[in-house]
Amino acid sequence: MVPSLMPSSRDFPARSFAGDVAEIDIAGVLAIVRKQIALLDLDLSGLTVVVGATTGYQAVTATVAALANASRVVALTRISSRHPSLAAIADATLAFAKYAKVSERVEVTNHIDSRKWQDVDLVTYCLQVGPISRSLIELLPSHAVVSLMAEPWELRPGVVDFDACDEAGIKVAAPNLSHPAINLLPEFARLCCILLGDAGVDQRAARIAIVCDTPCAPSLEHALREGGARVSVFSHPVLLTDDAWDVIVVAMRPSEKPPMDINSLGRIARTSRQALLVQFSGGIDRSAASYFGLGVWPPKRPTRGQLGLPLDILGSAPLVRRLTGGLKAAEAAYRGAELGGDSVGFLVKAGSATVGRERA
Protein backbone atom coordinates (compact mmCIF):
# COMPACT_ATOMS: atom_id res chain seq x y z
CA MET A 1 0.00 0.00 0.00
CA VAL A 2 1.12 3.56 -0.66
CA PRO A 3 0.97 6.08 2.22
CA SER A 4 -1.56 8.84 1.64
CA LEU A 5 -3.09 11.86 3.38
CA MET A 6 -0.31 12.00 5.93
CA PRO A 7 3.25 13.33 6.19
CA SER A 8 5.84 11.38 4.25
CA SER A 9 9.04 10.53 6.07
CA ARG A 10 10.79 12.34 3.23
CA ASP A 11 9.27 15.58 4.52
CA PHE A 12 11.31 15.41 7.70
CA PRO A 13 15.01 15.48 8.60
CA ALA A 14 17.11 12.34 8.36
CA ARG A 15 16.35 9.56 10.84
CA SER A 16 19.53 9.88 12.87
CA PHE A 17 21.70 12.81 13.83
CA ALA A 18 24.21 10.70 15.69
CA GLY A 19 27.00 11.57 13.30
CA ASP A 20 28.78 14.78 12.42
CA VAL A 21 27.53 17.84 14.31
CA ALA A 22 28.00 19.77 11.06
CA GLU A 23 24.74 18.16 9.89
CA ILE A 24 22.84 20.28 12.43
CA ASP A 25 21.93 23.95 12.08
CA ILE A 26 23.36 24.91 15.46
CA ALA A 27 22.27 28.54 15.18
CA GLY A 28 18.72 27.49 14.34
CA VAL A 29 18.53 25.04 17.23
CA LEU A 30 19.87 27.61 19.69
CA ALA A 31 17.33 30.18 18.49
CA ILE A 32 14.58 27.70 19.42
CA VAL A 33 16.30 27.04 22.78
CA ARG A 34 16.43 30.73 23.65
CA LYS A 35 12.79 31.18 22.70
CA GLN A 36 11.74 28.26 24.91
CA ILE A 37 13.85 29.43 27.85
CA ALA A 38 12.14 32.82 27.65
CA LEU A 39 8.68 31.28 27.20
CA LEU A 40 9.08 29.09 30.29
CA ASP A 41 11.11 31.65 32.25
CA LEU A 42 13.63 28.89 32.90
CA ASP A 43 16.13 30.15 35.48
CA LEU A 44 18.78 27.78 36.86
CA SER A 45 20.87 30.57 38.41
CA GLY A 46 23.28 29.29 41.03
CA LEU A 47 22.55 25.62 40.38
CA THR A 48 24.81 22.71 39.48
CA VAL A 49 23.09 20.52 36.92
CA VAL A 50 24.01 17.02 35.72
CA VAL A 51 22.82 16.05 32.24
CA GLY A 52 23.77 13.49 29.61
CA ALA A 53 26.35 14.15 26.91
CA THR A 54 25.41 12.69 23.57
CA THR A 55 25.24 13.47 19.87
CA GLY A 56 22.47 14.84 17.67
CA TYR A 57 19.91 17.35 18.85
CA GLN A 58 20.05 16.03 22.44
CA ALA A 59 23.63 17.26 22.63
CA VAL A 60 22.12 20.69 23.24
CA THR A 61 20.91 19.73 26.73
CA ALA A 62 24.02 20.98 28.53
CA THR A 63 23.84 24.26 26.66
CA VAL A 64 20.14 24.66 27.54
CA ALA A 65 21.06 24.48 31.22
CA ALA A 66 23.98 26.88 30.80
CA LEU A 67 21.89 29.39 28.83
CA ALA A 68 19.39 29.26 31.69
CA ASN A 69 22.25 30.52 33.89
CA ALA A 70 23.23 27.32 35.67
CA SER A 71 26.50 28.04 37.43
CA ARG A 72 27.93 24.64 36.43
CA VAL A 73 26.78 21.94 34.04
CA VAL A 74 28.28 18.46 34.12
CA ALA A 75 27.56 16.41 30.99
CA LEU A 76 28.13 12.70 31.59
CA THR A 77 29.16 10.41 28.75
CA ARG A 78 28.55 6.71 28.30
CA ILE A 79 29.94 4.46 25.61
CA SER A 80 27.30 2.51 23.70
CA SER A 81 26.85 0.81 20.34
CA ARG A 82 25.10 3.95 19.09
CA HIS A 83 27.74 6.30 20.52
CA PRO A 84 31.06 4.42 20.46
CA SER A 85 33.32 7.49 20.55
CA LEU A 86 33.75 9.66 23.64
CA ALA A 87 35.52 12.25 21.51
CA ALA A 88 32.54 12.52 19.13
CA ILE A 89 30.16 12.87 22.08
CA ALA A 90 32.28 15.58 23.69
CA ASP A 91 32.65 17.42 20.39
CA ALA A 92 28.90 17.37 19.72
CA THR A 93 28.03 18.53 23.25
CA LEU A 94 30.65 21.28 23.32
CA ALA A 95 29.88 22.52 19.80
CA PHE A 96 26.56 23.93 21.04
CA ALA A 97 28.15 25.36 24.19
CA LYS A 98 30.96 27.06 22.29
CA TYR A 99 28.58 28.58 19.75
CA ALA A 100 26.39 29.87 22.60
CA LYS A 101 29.51 31.16 24.41
CA VAL A 102 28.79 29.18 27.59
CA SER A 103 31.44 26.47 27.27
CA GLU A 104 33.32 27.71 30.35
CA ARG A 105 30.39 26.42 32.45
CA VAL A 106 30.05 23.07 30.70
CA GLU A 107 32.20 20.08 31.63
CA VAL A 108 32.06 16.82 29.69
CA THR A 109 33.22 13.82 31.67
CA ASN A 110 32.65 10.08 31.98
CA HIS A 111 32.77 10.04 35.79
CA ILE A 112 31.74 12.11 38.79
CA ASP A 113 33.65 11.46 42.00
CA SER A 114 31.32 10.15 44.68
CA ARG A 115 32.03 13.13 46.94
CA LYS A 116 31.17 15.62 44.18
CA TRP A 117 27.55 14.43 43.95
CA GLN A 118 26.98 16.41 47.18
CA ASP A 119 27.39 19.57 45.09
CA VAL A 120 24.65 18.63 42.60
CA ASP A 121 21.30 20.45 42.70
CA LEU A 122 19.52 18.96 39.67
CA VAL A 123 20.20 15.61 38.04
CA THR A 124 18.38 14.59 34.86
CA TYR A 125 17.43 11.02 34.10
CA CYS A 126 18.86 9.88 30.77
CA LEU A 127 20.73 6.86 29.44
CA GLN A 128 24.08 8.48 30.18
CA VAL A 129 23.23 9.23 33.82
CA GLY A 130 20.75 6.49 34.74
CA PRO A 131 19.61 4.41 36.32
CA ILE A 132 18.89 6.69 39.27
CA SER A 133 19.62 3.96 41.79
CA ARG A 134 19.57 3.94 45.57
CA SER A 135 23.38 4.04 45.62
CA LEU A 136 23.35 7.25 43.54
CA ILE A 137 20.50 8.81 45.52
CA GLU A 138 22.45 8.28 48.75
CA LEU A 139 25.23 10.46 47.34
CA LEU A 140 22.94 13.41 46.60
CA PRO A 141 22.16 16.23 49.04
CA SER A 142 18.61 16.20 50.42
CA HIS A 143 17.71 19.39 48.54
CA ALA A 144 18.56 17.87 45.14
CA VAL A 145 15.87 17.26 42.53
CA VAL A 146 15.74 14.42 40.01
CA SER A 147 14.28 15.48 36.67
CA LEU A 148 12.70 12.61 34.73
CA MET A 149 12.71 14.68 31.49
CA ALA A 150 9.64 12.59 30.55
CA GLU A 151 6.30 11.62 32.00
CA PRO A 152 6.54 8.46 34.14
CA TRP A 153 4.48 6.36 31.72
CA GLU A 154 7.22 6.81 29.11
CA LEU A 155 9.92 5.20 31.24
CA ARG A 156 10.72 1.52 31.48
CA PRO A 157 10.35 0.04 34.96
CA GLY A 158 13.24 0.32 37.36
CA VAL A 159 15.10 3.27 35.85
CA VAL A 160 14.48 5.42 38.95
CA ASP A 161 14.30 4.15 42.53
CA PHE A 162 11.31 6.22 43.63
CA ASP A 163 11.21 4.59 47.07
CA ALA A 164 14.80 5.63 47.77
CA CYS A 165 14.01 9.18 46.61
CA ASP A 166 11.02 9.36 48.96
CA GLU A 167 13.08 8.04 51.87
CA ALA A 168 15.84 10.58 51.22
CA GLY A 169 13.40 13.46 50.82
CA ILE A 170 14.58 14.05 47.28
CA LYS A 171 11.94 15.41 44.93
CA VAL A 172 11.35 13.82 41.53
CA ALA A 173 9.86 16.12 38.90
CA ALA A 174 8.36 15.34 35.50
CA PRO A 175 7.27 17.69 32.71
CA ASN A 176 3.61 17.94 31.81
CA LEU A 177 3.64 16.97 28.13
CA SER A 178 0.18 18.49 27.69
CA HIS A 179 1.29 21.94 28.84
CA PRO A 180 0.92 24.43 25.96
CA ALA A 181 4.62 25.30 26.02
CA ILE A 182 5.58 21.61 25.66
CA ASN A 183 2.62 20.08 23.77
CA LEU A 184 4.24 16.79 22.78
CA LEU A 185 1.24 14.48 22.49
CA PRO A 186 0.32 15.76 18.99
CA GLU A 187 3.97 15.28 18.02
CA PHE A 188 3.81 11.65 19.13
CA ALA A 189 0.76 11.27 16.90
CA ARG A 190 2.74 12.71 13.97
CA LEU A 191 5.46 10.14 14.66
CA CYS A 192 2.91 7.35 14.62
CA CYS A 193 1.59 8.53 11.24
CA ILE A 194 5.11 8.51 9.84
CA LEU A 195 5.69 5.02 11.25
CA LEU A 196 2.54 3.83 9.50
CA GLY A 197 3.73 5.46 6.29
CA ASP A 198 7.07 3.70 6.57
CA ALA A 199 5.13 0.44 6.90
CA GLY A 200 3.31 1.19 3.63
CA VAL A 201 -0.09 1.72 5.24
CA ASP A 202 -2.69 3.74 3.37
CA GLN A 203 -4.86 5.24 6.09
CA ARG A 204 -7.81 5.99 3.83
CA ALA A 205 -10.65 3.74 5.00
CA ALA A 206 -8.22 1.41 6.78
CA ARG A 207 -9.63 -0.34 9.84
CA ILE A 208 -7.16 0.52 12.56
CA ALA A 209 -7.24 -0.59 16.19
CA ILE A 210 -5.18 1.45 18.65
CA VAL A 211 -4.22 -0.49 21.78
CA CYS A 212 -3.12 2.28 24.12
CA ASP A 213 -2.98 2.80 27.89
CA THR A 214 -1.18 6.15 27.78
CA PRO A 215 -2.33 9.79 27.47
CA CYS A 216 -1.45 9.55 23.75
CA ALA A 217 -4.70 7.77 22.89
CA PRO A 218 -6.84 10.83 22.01
CA SER A 219 -4.07 12.39 19.88
CA LEU A 220 -3.39 9.13 18.05
CA GLU A 221 -7.08 8.59 17.38
CA HIS A 222 -7.54 12.16 16.09
CA ALA A 223 -4.51 12.00 13.79
CA LEU A 224 -5.51 8.67 12.24
CA ARG A 225 -9.11 9.76 11.75
CA GLU A 226 -7.82 12.91 10.05
CA GLY A 227 -5.98 10.60 7.66
CA GLY A 228 -9.23 8.86 6.76
CA ALA A 229 -8.90 5.72 8.87
CA ARG A 230 -11.74 4.04 10.74
CA VAL A 231 -10.35 3.90 14.25
CA SER A 232 -11.24 2.15 17.50
CA VAL A 233 -9.27 2.53 20.74
CA PHE A 234 -8.72 -0.15 23.38
CA SER A 235 -6.90 0.33 26.67
CA HIS A 236 -5.46 -3.21 26.76
CA PRO A 237 -4.99 -6.12 24.32
CA VAL A 238 -7.51 -8.27 26.23
CA LEU A 239 -10.20 -5.71 25.35
CA LEU A 240 -9.46 -5.82 21.62
CA THR A 241 -12.57 -6.97 19.77
CA ASP A 242 -12.50 -9.84 17.28
CA ASP A 243 -12.83 -7.72 14.14
CA ALA A 244 -11.01 -7.96 10.82
CA TRP A 245 -8.46 -5.24 11.52
CA ASP A 246 -6.10 -4.02 8.79
CA VAL A 247 -3.66 -2.52 11.29
CA ILE A 248 -3.24 -2.82 15.05
CA VAL A 249 -1.19 0.01 16.55
CA VAL A 250 0.43 -0.99 19.83
CA ALA A 251 0.99 2.14 21.94
CA MET A 252 1.42 0.80 25.46
CA ARG A 253 3.55 1.75 28.43
CA PRO A 254 6.93 0.02 28.73
CA SER A 255 6.62 -3.04 30.97
CA GLU A 256 8.60 -6.03 32.17
CA LYS A 257 6.51 -8.38 30.00
CA PRO A 258 4.97 -7.46 26.63
CA PRO A 259 1.26 -6.72 27.07
CA MET A 260 0.78 -7.96 23.49
CA ASP A 261 1.56 -11.53 24.56
CA ILE A 262 1.05 -14.97 23.04
CA ASN A 263 -2.59 -15.15 24.19
CA SER A 264 -3.53 -11.80 22.67
CA LEU A 265 -1.62 -12.57 19.49
CA GLY A 266 -3.33 -15.94 19.20
CA ARG A 267 -6.72 -14.25 19.26
CA ILE A 268 -5.60 -11.76 16.61
CA ALA A 269 -4.29 -14.55 14.41
CA ARG A 270 -7.68 -16.27 14.50
CA THR A 271 -9.68 -13.21 13.40
CA SER A 272 -7.22 -10.79 11.75
CA ARG A 273 -4.26 -12.81 10.48
CA GLN A 274 -3.77 -10.25 7.72
CA ALA A 275 -3.47 -7.39 10.24
CA LEU A 276 -0.15 -5.59 10.51
CA LEU A 277 1.04 -4.97 14.07
CA VAL A 278 2.71 -1.56 14.33
CA GLN A 279 4.83 -1.19 17.47
CA PHE A 280 4.75 2.48 18.41
CA SER A 281 5.45 1.97 22.11
CA GLY A 282 5.35 -0.88 24.60
CA GLY A 283 6.18 -4.49 23.87
CA ILE A 284 5.12 -7.17 21.43
CA ASP A 285 6.10 -10.80 21.87
CA ARG A 286 7.76 -10.98 18.47
CA SER A 287 8.52 -14.68 18.75
CA ALA A 288 4.83 -15.41 19.23
CA ALA A 289 3.92 -13.02 16.39
CA SER A 290 6.30 -14.90 14.10
CA TYR A 291 4.85 -18.25 15.23
CA PHE A 292 1.34 -17.09 14.27
CA GLY A 293 2.55 -15.59 10.99
CA LEU A 294 1.67 -12.02 11.98
CA GLY A 295 3.53 -9.10 10.42
CA VAL A 296 5.22 -6.59 12.75
CA TRP A 297 6.60 -3.13 11.97
CA PRO A 298 9.24 -1.81 12.44
CA PRO A 299 11.29 -4.87 11.49
CA LYS A 300 13.83 -4.14 14.23
CA ARG A 301 12.54 -4.26 17.78
CA PRO A 302 12.68 -0.79 19.44
CA THR A 303 14.71 -0.57 22.63
CA ARG A 304 12.47 -1.05 25.64
CA GLY A 305 11.18 2.35 26.70
CA GLN A 306 11.80 3.88 23.26
CA LEU A 307 9.25 4.86 20.64
CA GLY A 308 9.11 3.12 17.28
CA LEU A 309 10.71 6.24 15.80
CA PRO A 310 12.91 8.80 17.58
CA LEU A 311 11.41 12.21 18.28
CA ASP A 312 14.28 13.96 16.54
CA ILE A 313 13.04 13.01 13.07
CA LEU A 314 10.51 15.83 13.52
CA GLY A 315 13.37 18.31 13.83
CA SER A 316 14.76 20.01 16.91
CA ALA A 317 11.71 21.93 18.16
CA PRO A 318 9.79 19.07 19.85
CA LEU A 319 12.94 17.79 21.53
CA VAL A 320 13.87 21.28 22.75
CA ARG A 321 10.38 21.68 24.21
CA ARG A 322 10.86 18.40 26.07
CA LEU A 323 14.31 19.35 27.39
CA THR A 324 13.36 22.83 28.54
CA GLY A 325 10.10 21.54 30.01
CA GLY A 326 11.90 18.86 31.99
CA LEU A 327 14.41 21.35 33.37
CA LYS A 328 11.66 23.86 34.20
CA ALA A 329 9.69 21.25 36.14
CA ALA A 330 12.83 20.42 38.12
CA GLU A 331 13.61 24.10 38.71
CA ALA A 332 10.07 24.72 40.00
CA ALA A 333 10.35 21.73 42.34
CA TYR A 334 13.75 22.91 43.57
CA ARG A 335 12.43 26.37 44.37
CA GLY A 336 9.30 25.05 46.06
CA ALA A 337 6.87 26.38 43.47
CA GLU A 338 3.44 24.82 43.18
CA LEU A 339 3.28 22.00 40.65
CA GLY A 340 0.50 19.77 39.41
CA GLY A 341 -2.78 20.41 37.67
CA ASP A 342 -2.20 22.39 34.51
CA SER A 343 1.27 23.62 35.47
CA VAL A 344 4.43 22.85 33.52
CA GLY A 345 5.19 19.74 35.56
CA PHE A 346 4.36 17.61 38.56
CA LEU A 347 6.03 15.77 41.38
CA VAL A 348 6.32 12.01 41.16
CA LYS A 349 5.96 9.84 44.26
CA ALA A 350 6.46 6.13 44.76
CA GLY A 351 3.57 3.81 45.36
CA SER A 352 0.84 5.73 43.53
CA ALA A 353 -0.19 3.51 40.61
CA THR A 354 2.66 3.48 38.09
CA VAL A 355 3.83 6.56 39.83
CA GLY A 356 1.43 9.44 40.09
CA ARG A 357 1.36 13.20 40.47
CA GLU A 358 1.40 15.31 43.59
CA ARG A 359 1.64 19.00 44.34
CA ALA A 360 4.94 20.40 45.50
Side-chain angles (χ1 to χ4, degrees), residues 20-44:
D20 191 347
V21 75
E23 299 172 10
I24 294 176
D25 175 11
I26 293 178
V29 175
L30 289 178
I32 296 171
V33 166
R34 290 187 172 94
K35 179 180 178 180
Q36 282 299 116
I37 288 174
L39 181 64
L40 290 170
D41 191 24
L42 178 61
D43 181 9
L44 303 179

Side-chain angles (χ1 to χ4, degrees), residues 184-201:
L184 281 187
L185 300 187
E187 305 289 11
F188 290 165
R190 290 175 67 199
L191 277 181
C192 186
C193 287
I194 295 170
L195 189 62
L196 286 166
D198 289 347
V201 173

Side-chain angles (χ1 to χ4, degrees), residues 36 40 42-44 47 49-51 61 64-65 68 122-125 145-151 154 171-177 179 181-184 318-334 339 343-347:
Q36 282 299 116
L40 290 170
L42 178 61
D43 181 9
L44 303 179
L47 304 186
V49 182
V50 175
V51 301
T61 311
V64 172
L122 303 185
V123 55
T124 64
Y125 168 71
V145 174
V146 173
S147 175
L148 295 183
M149 305 299 277
E151 288 203 10
E154 299 181 79
K171 295 176 181 177
V172 181
N176 174 8
L177 300 188
H179 187 275
I182 304 174
N183 198 31
L184 281 187
L319 192 59
V320 168
R321 297 203 303 272
R322 180 194 283 280
L323 298 176
T324 53
L327 289 172
K328 180 62 183 180
E331 179 222 325
Y334 181 87
L339 289 171
S343 71
V344 74
F346 52 94
L347 293 182

Side-chain angles (χ1 to χ4, degrees), residues 242 262-273 292 294:
D242 295 335
I262 189 168
N263 295 322
S264 298
L265 293 168
R267 284 182 51 228
I268 292 169
R270 287 193 296 272
T271 60
S272 301
R273 185 176 295 275
F292 289 120
L294 296 170

Side-chain angles (χ1 to χ4, degrees), residues 273-340:
R273 185 176 295 275
Q274 80 290 344
L276 176 66
L277 295 167
V278 176
Q279 186 175 358
F280 181 67
S281 65
I284 296 175
D285 185 336
R286 290 189 172 227
S287 296
S290 177
Y291 173 78
F292 289 120
L294 296 170
V296 182
W297 190 271
K300 184 177 180 181
R301 184 197 313 267
T303 302
R304 192 157 61 104
Q306 300 295 311
L307 298 177
L309 286 175
L311 188 60
D312 62 9
I313 73 164
L314 299 179
S316 62
L319 192 59
V320 168
R321 297 203 303 272
R322 180 194 283 280
L323 298 176
T324 53
L327 289 172
K328 180 62 183 180
E331 179 222 325
Y334 181 87
R335 303 196 190 285
E338 187 172 298
L339 289 171

